[in-house]
Amino acid sequence: MAREIMKGTDAVAKAVVSADPDVVSAYPITPQTGIVEGIADLAAQGAYDGEFLRIDSEFNAASSVIGASAAGARTFTATSSNGLKLMSEPLFTAAGMRLPLVLAVANRSISAPLSIWNDHTDAMAERDAGLVQLYAEDVQEAVDNTLIAFRVAEELKLPVMSNLDGFVLTHVQEPVDVPEPEAIEEFLPRYEPEHTLDPSDPKTMGAYARPEHWTETTYVPHEVLLQAGDAIERATAEFEDVFGRSYGDAGGLLDTYRLGDADVALVVLGSLAGTTKDAVDRAREDGIRVGVVRPRVFRPFPGEALREALGGVEAVGVLEKAISPGSGGPLTMELKAELYDLPDRPLVRNYVLGLAGRDVTVEDVREMSAELYADADVPPHQAPTEDREIWPQLREDILPEEVSH
Amino acid sequence: MSGSDEQLTLGAVVEPRTSLANETGSWRSQRPVFDHDTCIGCGLCERFCPDGVAQEIENGAYDVDLTYCKGCGICAERCPVDAIEMVPEVK
């Protein structure tokens, strides 16, 4: 267990090579590029001897690992932003065909306007594809999630998306321990596919299904995902046994911070949780009882774990680096749906922030928690509708007249 | 759990026959007609048929199952002795 200072993309690349996938497909897109470049470097140095495919588009980067996975290979690819959009169609088929590919997504905003900076709109737009989605707070977790992703994907026979925030994690240098291949072998046994493409035993994957069968074929991955929490829990527990690092509560589905006596909880995905935890420390000094809930998993949606974690608080602020135009923040919408059945449900406020790399500071988050704390005793049905969704960083002064208030 | 004799496979993987109940019906615009005197029984039509419906029907004689044949013409294209002619469907 040696920690060395590494850039996020290099650390993930090294973790992927340690997991020894048979096939890696590569197509560059900022801020992901360093991951596949890192794997290419390791291949050039002789440290990776699998098939490294240089592909002509994200559509084919996904399609090629789908083909390889169908042939029984352990596979990996990585992308970001609009690249993930171009992968979207094959990813849906990968889930439908139950192929366990692992996909690292360096989260980045989607054009237009063009931006390379981080938010979660790319991954959120793929939430209906049938992939497991993991989110990392720091580089070490991105490395560890990569390994957990292979384990979970191959057990569930479903593709897994391992998200790490673009630039904030991909291009940061951190002391990281990337496990050695020998240790990984213990955690990650060889993949045993149920079906493989085989010329001596021909078969069709992703065949045509008429209305008599389609409902059932789609119900199966849905149900497998709903029960995937158990597999994630087992993988996380075993990861801790082998590597000594533990992730969160609720069997690795959530990470909580200073939640025990909290009246207010901030819910946040990914690296913004680090800022939020510091803000909570600062708010606590002023007597504001606030805690953090960080879902490590967005698909399957950890509803039961969230209901349990948030059952005792009066108000929830969801800090969301994504927006579903015309509706709201995707995480907030799903969280609200999950809390609907609670007899005494908390106030839920959606803070849309940090879009396309707009900086969110510790002080910003401290202020939000103080505001929310002041409103915490308002029952949800009495809260003014304009307080449900707040854009704390919006520059009202530059908005066009069309939308100015 | 299931009282049916049809059971979904993982990922709905099927053998290379056109899926059940997926009959071509009336939308084929042409059909392959096999000349069994010319056919040498090489089996390339079976290998290349995308629907897996070109099959050996008896010793060395090949034909297609028109219930599922889509009339794509690949078998005729691939036949090394031109034993397959694509004939327009008369509607």
Side-chain angles (χ1 to χ4, degrees):
Chain A
M1 293 285 173
R3 275 154 54 108
E4 51 178 312
I5 304 268
M6 288 176 95
K7 203 166 91 168
T9 50
D10 288 336
V12 171
K14 197 174 167 191
V16 169
V17 167
S18 294
D20 196 22
D22 304 291
V23 178
V24 170
S25 69
Y27 189 79
I29 183 169
T30 302
Q32 170 281 126
T33 307
I35 297 174
V36 290
E37 274 181 348
I39 297 169
D41 279 345
L42 290 162
Q45 296 159 19
Y48 174 61
D49 59 2
E51 287 288 332
F52 184 85
L53 308 175
R54 292 180 301 276
I55 304 288
D56 60 346
S57 74
E58 283 91 357
F59 186 95
N60 293 332
S63 300
S64 57
V65 287
I66 285 171
S69 185
R74 174 177 290 168
T75 60
F76 174 86
T77 190
T79 191
S80 292
S81 179
N82 290 52
L84 182 59
K85 298 304 104 212
L86 192 52
M87 280 190 181
S88 181
E89 187 201 335
L91 290 179
F92 275 71
T93 63
M97 289 196 265
R98 307 290 306 278
L99 299 173
L101 52 104
V102 171
L103 168 71
V105 174
N107 300 109
R108 163 186 154 184
S109 50
I110 300 171
S111 168
L114 183 64
S115 156
I116 58 170
W117 306 110
N118 159 250
D119 64 32
H120 293 147
T121 41
D122 55 358
M124 287 293 159
E126 291 309 315
R127 69 204 163 127
D128 301 340
L131 282 78
V132 172
Q133 283 200 23
L134 309 174
Y135 285 81
E137 183 180 340
D138 55 25
V139 175
Q140 184 65 65
E141 190 175 0
V143 163
D144 296 347
N145 276 358
T146 305
L147 303 175
I148 289 170
F150 279 108
R151 167 73 180 255
V152 169
E154 289 167 11
E155 181 177 333
L156 297 175
K157 297 190 167 53
L158 276 175
V160 177
M161 181 191 295
S162 174
N163 292 284
L164 64 156
D165 285 315
F167 294 105
V168 186
L169 297 183
T170 54
H171 288 59
V172 76
Q173 305 235 3
E174 261 185 37
V176 191
D177 167 28
V178 180
E180 292 303 322
E182 299 72 47
I184 290 172
E185 264 172 46
E186 184 186 347
F187 173 71
L188 199 57
R190 285 318 304 171
Y191 167 45
E192 299 288 345
E194 187 166 324
H195 301 293
T196 55
L197 293 178
D198 173 359
S200 61
D201 176 21
K203 57 187 74 69
T204 300
M205 298 185 183
Y208 179 76
R210 282 172 54 103
E212 295 88 328
H213 298 108
W214 205 93
T215 299
E216 290 70 25
T217 52
T218 299
Y219 176 80
V220 175
H222 169 58
E223 191 63 27
V224 170
L225 266 175
L226 285 177
Q227 297 167 16
D230 295 346
I232 295 165
E233 202 164 326
R234 274 195 307 279
T236 312
E238 193 159 328
F239 188 89
E240 186 177 359
D241 289 345
V242 177
F243 303 105
R245 284 188 292 274
S246 68
Y247 282 106
D249 320 313
L253 297 176
L254 302 180
D255 165 30
T256 60
Y257 182 72
R258 300 189 79 166
L259 194 66
D261 64 338
D263 296 325
V264 167
L266 300 176
V267 176
V268 56
L269 289 171
S271 62
L272 183 54
T275 307
T276 307
K277 288 172 183 175
D278 285 349
V280 161
D281 290 345
R282 215 177 273 187
R284 287 263 176 184
E285 288 168 14
D286 305 332
I288 292 169
R289 288 195 301 277
V290 56
V292 183
V293 176
R294 177 179 68 91
R296 292 188 66 247
V297 180
F298 181 66
R299 278 289 180 277
F301 193 70
E304 201 176 323
L306 284 166
R307 274 201 306 276
E308 216 155 288
L310 300 171
V313 301
E314 291 173 16
V316 178
V318 186
L319 275 50
E320 193 149 20
K321 287 187 183 178
I323 183 70
S324 175
S327 181
L331 176 59
T332 310
M333 294 191 275
E334 297 202 16
L335 178 65
K336 279 183 171 177
E338 205 59 57
L339 300 176
Y340 183 80
D341 294 339
L342 286 180
D344 188 16
R345 61 182 92 101
L347 177 75
V348 177
R349 186 173 291 168
N350 184 185
Y351 291 97
V352 182
L353 41 65
L355 296 181
R358 187 163 291 185
D359 195 27
V360 183
T361 66
V362 172
E363 190 49 33
D364 291 339
V365 180
R366 191 203 61 78
E367 277 175 27
M368 285 173 226
S369 51
E371 281 168 23
L372 194 59
Y373 192 70
D375 294 343
D377 55 353
V378 179
H381 61 279
Q382 287 175 8
T385 49
E386 62 269 19
D387 286 354
R388 286 180 195 164
E389 183 186 299
I390 294 179
W391 291 57
Q393 301 178 313
L394 192 68
R395 296 175 55 198
E396 299 262 4
D397 55 315
I398 62 166
L399 286 175
E401 206 158 308
E402 185 185 13
V403 294
S404 51
H405 304 295
Chain B
M1 169 80 190
S2 165
S4 161
D5 55 4
E6 53 171 340
Q7 197 83 96
L8 283 182
T9 53
L10 180 91
V13 168
V14 291
E15 295 197 334
R17 291 285 173 266
T18 314
S19 60
L20 279 178
N22 183 16
E23 297 173 10
T24 305
S26 63
W27 59 265
R28 188 173 51 230
S29 61
Q30 53 176 6
R31 66 165 66 198
V33 174
F34 282 64
D35 176 355
H36 295 297
D37 297 333
T38 312
C39 167
I40 53 169
C42 69
L44 281 181
C45 53
E46 178 176 40
R47 175 161 297 182
F48 282 100
C49 173
D51 267 310
V53 298
Q55 296 157 44
E56 195 173 7
I57 46 173
E58 53 188 312
N59 275 348
Y62 283 80
D63 214 325
V64 298
D65 181 345
L66 287 170
T67 315
Y68 299 114
C69 168
K70 305 296 180 296
C72 69
I74 289 174
C75 54
E77 196 66 39
R78 287 288 171 178
C79 178
V81 292
D82 293 335
I84 307 171
E85 187 191 355
M86 296 306 293
V87 176
E89 292 284 1
V90 181
K91 302 250 163 110

